[in-house]
Amino acid sequence: MASPTSSASAPASHHLRLWWRRRGRGGAVGATFTVALLAAALLLGLSLYASSLPRAPTTSSSFSSNLVGLTLVRRAKEKGAVCLDGSAPGYHLQRGSGTGSQNWLLHLEGGGWCRNLRSCASRQKSVLGSSQYMERQIEFAGILSDDKFQNPDFYNWNKVKIRYCDGASFSGNVKDELQNGTKFFFRGQRIWEAVISELLLKGLRHAKQAFLTGCSAGGLATFIHCDNFRTLLPKDSRVKCLADGGFFLDVEDISGQRTMRAFYNDVVRLQDLRGRFPHCGPNMDLGQCFFPSEVVKDIITPVFVLNPAYDAWQVQHVLSPVASDPQHSWLECRLDISKCDSNQLEILQGFRKKLHDTISELKHKKDWGFLIDSCFIHCQSLNSLTWHSPSSLRVNNKTIAEAVGDWFFDRREVKEIDCEYPCNPTCHNLVFAKPFKA
């Protein structure tokens, strides 16, 4: 199984074969859906192979109407705002229309972190560390979709996906380029500033409504940058943030070790992030400063926390990392929550309780919202099936899109905690053919 350096939020088909298990649905529907997903996985695998080859950016006029082109940041090297390998960072912008033409939704891509020079060097040769390997066109789905039926509240907004290539949730700002004689650029903070500066000039500065979102490592970045995002926009605009699958827990794993804290210690030390977090006390471990439970303490801007109680990535990397399971007793449970035995389920329920206890501290933040579902999954806002569809997850008879929309537009307070697994028959629980790879 992978270490936490593996992508935390890239589409699962990039790392493994999987299918969705829908509880309580007919076999015909499940079979049809499985075939469709396997076909999609094959196409994604082929497209990933093609996109791994460096290519020059294509002109916008050549793009298909349902694909969104990559824009590289101008004068990136001059600004020092570059990916791990020194290439220019990028983003995909789809213009809004009609009533949404002055509203903006930004999404920060995720993809784990790198904790040492070796893992960062590996990223330099991938989409997570170099724009040379980034797809020049991508499809927008889920919260980024321009289909009113898939994305009823935000379909006609200006929408941006900001690509992730710095290895530390858009937060590093190390001036030195040479590390042990090799060039590494830890410039996530500068990437954030450069991309936002370009978007402000393209109309973001006039936004009437703005929504900063992110998934996984991008969800953590959303917590980190939410207040700064608010300060850059008109005072009379509605500005909120959404962190999807980004509430990583500082808990002991099944062997009693704090594997994730040790991992974050390395990330914070490598990219010199200690001074980045004002909440970080002198008696705290470096890694503690990077956890959302600490970052949120200083946030003023309203945030919506979307997280599964049994986050599949965290179950594999935070709760039961392979190094803490030498007998491989958790292997089947990591792959399929329905294969967990009674003792493992008890531990998973304890993990859920820890998340709930931590989230409950946000209840006093009046303008905040959260939805903690009981599914075995990771990141749910970028997939149209899980975001908003006839077969989507529902909590209190609301899809995720409906809950988030209700909260953003102040139609109702949304602070939902789902029941314990396996109570919700609308969950789409991931079933892995094999664990995430590094």
Side-chain angles (χ1 to χ4, degrees):
M1 188 172 74
S3 72
T5 56
S6 64
S7 172
S9 63
S13 55
H14 290 192
H15 305 282
L16 44 82
R17 294 176 58 227
L18 58 83
W19 60 95
W20 300 94
R21 172 167 293 170
R22 184 63 185 274
R23 308 298 181 189
R25 294 291 178 182
V29 174
T32 302
F33 183 55
T34 299
V35 171
L37 273 175
L38 290 174
L42 175 61
L43 290 174
L44 279 168
L46 293 172
S47 65
L48 179 64
Y49 171 77
S51 67
S52 68
L53 303 175
R55 289 172 289 173
T58 314
T59 59
S60 58
S61 60
S62 67
F63 288 119
S64 172
S65 60
N66 62 343
L67 296 175
V68 184
L70 177 67
T71 299
L72 298 181
V73 171
R74 297 179 60 194
R75 299 192 301 276
K77 292 184 179 180
E78 178 184 322
K79 301 170 185 175
V82 292
C83 299
L84 286 169
D85 71 332
S87 61
Y91 58 90
H92 303 260
L93 166 62
Q94 183 180 70
R95 288 290 185 177
S97 62
T99 58
S101 60
Q102 290 186 287
N103 299 330
W104 287 75
L105 189 150
L106 279 61
H107 182 85
L108 295 171
E109 184 179 38
W113 310 268
C114 54
R115 71 189 301 178
N116 51 43
L117 297 182
R118 181 179 178 182
S119 58
C120 289
S122 177
R123 281 178 175 249
Q124 288 180 324
K125 298 178 176 63
S126 76
V127 296
L128 294 174
S130 173
S131 59
Q132 295 185 66
Y133 299 92
M134 291 177 184
E135 307 94 319
R136 268 32 191 179
Q137 304 176 72
I138 63 170
E139 183 179 2
F140 274 12
I143 197 172
L144 294 177
S145 173
D146 62 357
D147 185 331
K148 185 176 182 179
F149 296 101
Q150 293 183 18
N151 191 22
D153 284 311
F154 309 108
Y155 72 97
N156 63 348
W157 286 30
N158 297 286
K159 295 183 290 293
V160 185
K161 182 173 184 177
I162 303 174
R163 302 303 295 268
Y164 177 42
C165 64
D166 68 278
S169 290
F170 297 88
S171 60
N173 189 13
V174 178
K175 184 178 180 180
D176 294 339
E177 299 175 4
L178 287 177
Q179 305 285 339
N180 291 350
T182 303
K183 278 194 173 184
F184 288 91
F185 298 86
F186 300 134
R187 304 285 179 76
Q189 177 65 32
R190 296 195 202 183
I191 292 173
W192 161 260
E193 293 170 357
V195 172
I196 294 300
S197 293
E198 283 198 8
L199 295 176
L200 288 170
L201 293 175
K202 293 184 176 184
L204 177 60
R205 61 182 171 177
H206 301 302
K208 292 185 175 179
Q209 300 185 97
F211 202 8
L212 177 65
T213 75
C215 165
S216 196
L220 174 57
T222 299
F223 288 124
I224 292 170
H225 292 292
C226 185
D227 277 345
N228 174 249
F229 184 63
R230 163 70 273 187
T231 63
L232 300 172
L233 300 175
K235 292 183 179 180
D236 61 349
S237 59
R238 182 199 302 266
V239 180
K240 298 185 179 184
C241 303
L242 163 70
D244 174 15
F247 209 94
F248 298 94
L249 293 179
D250 182 14
V251 296
E252 293 183 353
D253 64 25
I254 54 175
S255 71
Q257 304 298 311
R258 289 189 180 268
T259 299
M260 199 65 189
R261 186 188 292 186
F263 183 85
Y264 275 171
N265 279 338
D266 291 344
V267 175
V268 171
R269 186 179 296 108
L270 180 65
Q271 299 220 18
D272 194 22
L273 303 179
R274 182 64 181 255
R276 177 69 182 75
F277 303 109
H279 61 269
C280 195
N283 297 322
M284 295 173 62
D285 286 346
L286 289 175
Q288 286 180 272
C289 310
F290 211 44
F291 281 99
S293 57
E294 294 297 327
V295 178
V296 299
K297 292 178 179 179
D298 296 319
I299 300 177
I300 300 172
T301 308
V303 178
F304 191 95
V305 178
L306 170 61
N307 234 83
Y310 313 94
D311 186 295
W313 193 91
Q314 292 199 61
V315 169
Q316 291 187 3
H317 301 299
V318 179
L319 183 64
S320 63
V322 66
S324 297
D325 183 30
Q327 302 302 318
H328 306 295
S329 60
W330 275 74
L331 179 58
E332 288 193 351
C333 182
R334 290 189 198 102
L335 301 178
D336 182 349
I337 193 172
S338 71
K339 301 290 180 63
C340 299
D341 62 32
S342 59
N343 291 331
Q344 291 166 338
L345 282 176
E346 184 177 351
I347 292 172
L348 288 175
Q349 302 302 5
F351 184 81
R352 170 184 179 269
K353 184 179 185 304
K354 176 63 176 178
L355 175 62
H356 289 183
D357 290 345
T358 307
I359 290 293
S360 67
E361 298 176 11
L362 305 179
K363 288 182 178 179
H364 70 278
K365 291 178 177 280
K366 185 181 66 172
D367 296 328
W368 285 45
F370 53 80
L371 192 160
I372 310 300
D373 60 64
S374 59
C375 307
F376 183 66
I377 194 170
H378 181 65
C379 285
Q380 301 171 91
S381 63
L382 287 183
N383 186 308
S384 295
L385 178 70
T386 51
W387 176 245
H388 187 69
S389 74
S391 59
S392 287
L393 160 79
R394 280 169 169 74
V395 176
N396 288 335
N397 204 32
K398 292 277 189 175
T399 66
I400 294 172
E402 290 169 334
V404 171
D406 286 349
W407 170 80
F408 185 89
F409 294 104
D410 299 321
R411 295 192 288 249
R412 67 181 177 100
E413 181 181 71
V414 180
K415 292 182 176 177
E416 307 278 10
I417 293 182
D418 202 4
C419 47
E420 287 188 358
Y421 171 86
C423 67
N424 192 333
T426 68
C427 269
H428 291 277
N429 292 320
L430 284 174
V431 177
F432 295 84
K434 54 185 176 181
F436 282 108
K437 291 182 179 180

